[in-house]
Amino acid sequence: MWSHVVFDHPATFQTLAMEADKKREVIEDLVSFSQAKDFYARIGKAWKRGYLLYGPPGTGKSTMIAAMANLLLYDVYDLELTAVSDNTVLRKLLMQIPSKSITVIEDIDCSLNLTGQRKKMKENKAAEEEEKGPIKKQAKVGDSDEGKTSKVTLSGLLNFIDGLWSASKGERLIVFTTNYMEKLDPALIRRGRMDKHIELSYCSFESFKVLAKNYLELDSHHLFDTIERLLGESKVTPADVAEHLMPKTSVADVETSLKSLVQALEMAKEQAMLKAKEEGKEKESSAREED
């Protein structure tokens, strides 16, 4: 059963740390979808759209979902697949979701055995068990089944996304998030299921300016040029940047916050350079061993 919680997240696209062009593209896509009832009926498709949000942790995937909901005034249904016992229960839950809603499955790569990578690992493990002998293999399978709490399968999830049951309600968004898109089964994220793939990456200078406006009410500062250069030379997430812009005391000022950020960016740059050198040495060492 679904439990009701009042959705009161303040995120909007205006406060979302993201490049303006990409932000505009997403907004236009969402608005276009919400007004496309006749179009979907004409082409004979269910009135739904899938979004895959991917990128490193701390890049704003959950915040974007809240902004999407606030833009369209949709309800959010947060689905934890590991808490669903089987495909039948999954179908019942999903059929209860009304129109004008966003169904969210966060960290889809961590949800059950739904990734191509895990499928390969499972197949390799099964081959190893086969070599050990049928008696030991049978005991292992029994242990695995006892500890299993969910029997939701990839096919069961796919049937909901674009099977017959996907048309049971109109005007619905389905959003998956992942930190590691390469781990996902291609069948899960192909166009037609996850129609739009949106990458949320490390903080750019344009994203930083949005955060500076949000946290410090600041449009310009003499340290902005330094920050722009350092952001181009290091990889930090919007969450990392926001932490340094967040006032730590009642007397914290703009200068202190920006200097703290500059120091963190310089440290991140140094760490990136050290990592690059270490990787270079490892490659050279491997090349010598091959020779």
Side-chain angles (χ1 to χ4, degrees):
M1 298 292 292
W2 291 104
S3 58
H4 178 265
V5 178
V6 176
F7 185 78
D8 193 26
H9 199 294
T12 66
F13 277 98
Q14 184 178 358
T15 60
L16 188 65
M18 188 179 186
E19 289 80 1
D21 290 343
K22 185 181 286 189
K23 192 184 297 187
R24 191 180 307 111
E25 178 187 337
V26 175
I27 292 173
E28 289 175 355
D29 190 82
L30 288 167
V31 173
S32 176
F33 166 80
S34 68
Q35 299 172 350
K37 180 179 181 180
D38 293 340
F39 171 77
Y40 278 87
R42 178 167 60 82
I43 65 174
K45 288 186 65 177
W47 191 11
K48 63 179 180 59
R49 190 156 174 78
Y51 287 82
L52 175 67
L53 309 184
Y54 68 97
T59 52
K61 295 182 286 294
S62 299
T63 304
M64 173 170 274
I65 294 170
M68 294 166 76
N70 287 329
L71 174 70
L72 298 177
L73 300 179
Y74 282 7
D75 290 327
V76 177
Y77 286 76
D78 186 13
L79 181 61
E80 175 54 64
L81 285 180
T82 55
V84 182
S85 59
D86 55 37
N87 290 339
T88 301
V89 175
L90 176 66
R91 187 177 65 184
K92 289 179 180 179
L93 281 170
L94 296 174
M95 287 182 66
Q96 292 172 14
I97 298 175
S99 61
K100 295 184 180 295
S101 64
I102 303 176
T103 303
V104 178
I105 302 179
E106 294 197 270
D107 298 321
I108 185 70
D109 54 289
C110 299
S111 298
L112 311 178
N113 186 25
L114 299 176
T115 69
Q117 182 71 18
R118 293 189 182 188
K119 184 177 180 181
K120 291 178 183 176
M121 292 171 62
K122 187 176 180 181
E123 290 172 353
N124 292 338
K125 188 174 181 181
E128 292 175 3
E129 294 291 344
E130 187 71 34
E131 293 175 359
K132 291 178 182 178
I135 296 177
K136 192 165 186 177
K137 179 182 175 184
Q138 184 177 1
K140 190 74 173 179
V141 170
D143 292 343
S144 175
D145 287 342
E146 286 179 5
K148 209 169 187 179
T149 58
S150 177
K151 296 181 181 179
V152 173
T153 64
L154 178 60
S155 62
L157 184 61
L158 297 183
N159 284 337
F160 158 67
I161 296 172
D162 63 357
L164 289 174
W165 295 109
S166 68
S168 60
K169 297 288 193 303
E171 196 175 355
R172 289 191 299 181
L173 296 179
I174 304 165
V175 180
F176 292 166
T177 74
T178 179
N179 297 332
Y180 308 100
M181 190 170 75
E182 66 277 4
K183 291 185 177 181
L184 298 180
D185 192 307
L188 186 66
I189 59 175
R190 69 163 175 79
R191 306 294 177 174
R193 286 174 177 154
M194 292 295 103
D195 304 286
K196 193 168 183 63
H197 297 180
I198 303 172
E199 182 180 12
L200 297 170
S201 191
Y202 295 103
C203 191
S204 65
F205 181 62
E206 195 170 349
S207 299
F208 159 74
K209 288 193 292 184
V210 175
L211 293 171
K213 183 68 174 177
N214 292 345
Y215 284 81
L216 304 175
E217 298 183 337
L218 198 63
D219 292 312
S220 62
H221 191 275
H222 69 87
L223 287 174
F224 273 23
D225 289 340
T226 302
I227 292 171
E228 181 177 12
R229 174 178 58 81
L230 290 170
L231 284 171
E233 299 171 343
S234 58
K235 292 182 178 181
V236 294
T237 66
D240 292 328
V241 172
E243 178 59 26
H244 289 280
L245 301 182
M246 177 78 74
K248 303 298 189 297
T249 65
S250 59
V251 295
D253 58 11
V254 167
E255 193 81 13
T256 301
S257 297
L258 293 181
K259 284 183 177 179
S260 172
L261 176 59
V262 168
Q263 185 177 1
L265 291 174
E266 288 175 341
M267 188 177 299
K269 177 185 173 181
E270 291 176 5
Q271 291 174 346
M273 291 173 64
L274 288 173
K275 184 177 180 182
K277 287 181 180 179
E278 290 176 359
E279 290 176 350
K281 290 179 180 178
E282 289 177 0
K283 288 181 180 178
E284 289 179 5
S285 177
S286 299
R288 289 196 197 98
E289 290 177 359
E290 290 176 0
D291 293 339

